[in-house]
Amino acid sequence: MRGIIKSNLSELGLEKQFLVDLLSDISHQLKTPLSSVILYNDIMVTKELSPVQNQTFLLNNQNQLEKMNWLIKNLLKLAKLDAKAIEIVKEEQSLNETLHDSMDAIESRAIECQVKIIFNEKEEINFNHDVLWLEEAFINIIKNGIEHTLPGGSVKLTLMENPLYTRVTIEDTGEGMTELDLPNIFKRFYKAKTARKSDSIGIGLSLSKSIIEAHNGIIEVQSKVNIGTMFTITFIKF
C-alpha cells in the first residue's frame, strides 16, 4: 500500500510539473506577439491614421494573430502527445500517398521560396500508420527544409523498404547546422545558431519527433553548414 501511494504521488508530481512547464512555455511564447497586437491596436484607436497606415497595422495584427493561433494549436498537440491523451489510429495504408499529400500541402510555400521538392519513390509501400498525424510530421520537416534553403535549392524525399525497416529521408540543400546545434534541434523553441529565418518559433521539429516516436519510429539528423541537412526517419518492422 505504501508503494502504491508513493507511486501515485510521484505521478501526480510529474503531472503537476508537466502543466507548470506547459503553461510557462505558452506564456513565454505568446508574450511577444500579444504585446505587438496590443501596441498596434492602441495606435489605431488613439491616433489619426491614413487608410494606408490603418491597412498596414491591420495586416501586422493579422500576422501576429495567425502566429499565435498556430503556436497555441501546436503546443496543445505536443502537450496531448506527451501526456498520451491522443490516440494514434493506425491503418495499413500507402506511405507514398501520405508523402504526396504532405508535399501537396506545402507546395505553395515551396513555390513562394523558389525551392523544388523532389520525391524519389521506386515502389509502392504500405505502412501501418495514422495518415493525418504522420502527414503533419512530414509537413513540418519539409517546411523546415524549404524555409532554410535559398531560392533555386531543393528538398529531396526518398522512400525505401527492406525486410528490416521502412525508411524515409528528407534532405535539403540549405544552410545546414553546426555540430553544436544537432543535439538540440528537437527541443522546443530551439533555433540553430546558423538560422537566417529570425521569426521561426522552433516547435515544428519537436512535434514531428513526438509523432514519429508515437509510430515507434526513430528520427535522426545529419547536417553540414552551407551544404544541407538530412533527416532520416526509420520504422523498424520487428
Side-chain angles (χ1 to χ4, degrees):
M1 182 63 73
R2 183 189 300 172
I4 293 172
I5 293 172
K6 187 176 180 179
S7 175
N8 288 339
L9 288 173
S10 177
E11 289 179 6
L12 286 172
L14 289 173
E15 289 177 5
K16 181 179 179 181
Q17 188 59 48
F18 173 78
L19 288 172
V20 168
D21 292 343
L22 175 62
L23 291 172
S24 176
D25 285 345
I26 293 174
S27 175
H28 177 72
Q29 293 299 318
L30 288 179
K31 187 181 297 181
T32 300
L34 186 57
S35 296
S36 297
V37 170
I38 292 171
L39 176 62
Y40 295 148
N41 192 68
D42 184 61
I43 291 172
M44 287 188 290
V45 169
T46 59
K47 306 290 184 183
E48 290 187 11
L49 303 174
S50 68
V52 173
Q53 289 174 319
N54 264 323
Q55 182 71 10
T56 300
F57 282 116
L58 284 171
L59 287 173
N60 286 334
N61 264 0
Q62 182 181 19
N63 290 335
Q64 295 300 326
L65 289 170
E66 287 175 354
K67 182 178 180 180
M68 286 191 287
N69 183 49
W70 184 90
L71 175 62
I72 291 169
K73 283 182 177 179
N74 283 280
L75 274 172
L76 291 176
K77 286 176 185 176
L78 258 177
K80 289 178 180 178
L81 282 168
D82 288 350
K84 295 180 172 54
I86 288 179
E87 182 182 2
I88 301 293
V89 182
K90 300 176 185 178
E91 295 180 10
E92 192 78 14
Q93 300 184 70
S94 169
L95 192 54
N96 304 63
E97 288 185 14
T98 301
L99 284 164
H100 276 294
D101 289 343
S102 303
M103 293 164 58
D104 291 343
I106 203 72
E107 184 180 10
S108 60
R109 184 60 175 155
I111 293 171
E112 180 185 343
C113 294
Q114 299 176 47
V115 173
K116 188 175 182 180
I117 304 178
I118 304 164
F119 186 14
N120 179 22
E121 53 179 332
K122 298 178 181 178
E123 58 184 324
E124 184 70 23
I125 295 175
N126 288 325
F127 175 65
N128 194 33
H129 66 290
D130 187 310
V131 171
L132 294 179
W133 276 107
L134 201 54
E135 182 181 321
E136 179 152 7
F138 291 145
I139 288 172
N140 286 334
I141 299 170
I142 297 168
K143 180 174 180 283
N144 179 80
I146 290 170
E147 293 181 345
H148 292 89
T149 298
L150 291 173
S154 65
V155 176
K156 180 181 178 182
L157 282 66
T158 303
L159 174 61
M160 60 86 67
E161 184 179 45
N162 64 31
L164 297 177
Y165 57 76
T166 299
R167 175 169 287 170
V168 177
T169 60
I170 302 174
E171 184 175 8
D172 64 59
T173 57
E175 61 197 11
M177 291 173 281
T178 68
E179 291 291 331
L180 294 175
D181 285 317
L182 291 180
N184 300 304
I185 62 166
F186 296 114
K187 293 179 181 178
R188 297 180 191 182
F189 314 120
Y190 183 81
K191 297 180 185 179
K193 304 297 185 293
T194 55
R196 292 185 295 264
K197 191 170 182 288
S198 60
D199 62 341
S200 174
I201 294 171
I203 196 174
L205 293 180
S206 179
L207 179 58
S208 293
K209 184 174 184 289
S210 292
I211 294 170
I212 289 164
E213 289 179 347
H215 283 81
N216 300 315
I218 301 167
I219 181 167
E220 301 169 291
V221 60
Q222 295 173 293
S223 187
K224 290 186 178 180
V225 176
N226 297 324
I227 294 178
T229 300
M230 180 171 73
F231 291 90
T232 302
I233 301 151
T234 305
F235 301 101
I236 306 294
K237 291 187 177 181
F238 303 102

